[in-house]
Amino acid sequence: MAKKISIVVILLTVGFFCLGSNMLLAKDYTSVEDIQLDGEDAIGKRATLCIQSGNIDNDSYGKRFWANDVSKGLPSKMIYIYFDKNQKELFKKIQPTPHPSSCTIVTIEVFELGMSIPRGRLISVGKQMQFR
């Protein structure tokens, strides 16, 4: 009986810490539109997007490229994705898209929803794919 109580207490403690840290409630955003709709709740969360990259620029946050989100079809919503010098090899994996219906899968962490264009930090780059 004591062993069952110990197991229940351990499970409740782990569950409490997971809920407290939003680990169980974390949402993986799949589009810039979802990020914009959730607003402040999206900050600090990750998003996996199928993007077409654009120009590289610098601003007060650092080096960035703008990307069109194509996760829901044709390029529509835009996001700024920032990367560091130590991520330049990772950034090079984002190939120019040879066809309007191809994109590169990236994972970002959302850090700001400025005006109408969200901002995120580049975490990983996946493969290129075709969408319909």
Side-chain angles (χ1 to χ4, degrees), residues 61-82:
Y61 292 107
K63 192 174 266 308
R64 69 166 189 212
F65 65 95
W66 59 264
N68 285 316
D69 178 10
V70 292
S71 61
K72 292 190 175 183
L74 295 174
S76 57
K77 302 289 182 174
M78 193 167 92
I79 186 167
Y80 290 131
I81 301 176
Y82 292 81

Side-chain angles (χ1 to χ4, degrees), residues 48-89:
T48 301
L49 304 169
C50 189
I51 60 113
Q52 291 179 322
S53 63
N55 296 331
I56 298 175
D57 260 335
N58 285 308
D59 67 12
S60 60
Y61 292 107
K63 192 174 266 308
R64 69 166 189 212
F65 65 95
W66 59 264
N68 285 316
D69 178 10
V70 292
S71 61
K72 292 190 175 183
L74 295 174
S76 57
K77 302 289 182 174
M78 193 167 92
I79 186 167
Y80 290 131
I81 301 176
Y82 292 81
F83 62 99
D84 299 326
K85 287 181 191 176
N86 61 354
Q87 291 181 307
K88 69 181 177 184
E89 291 303 316

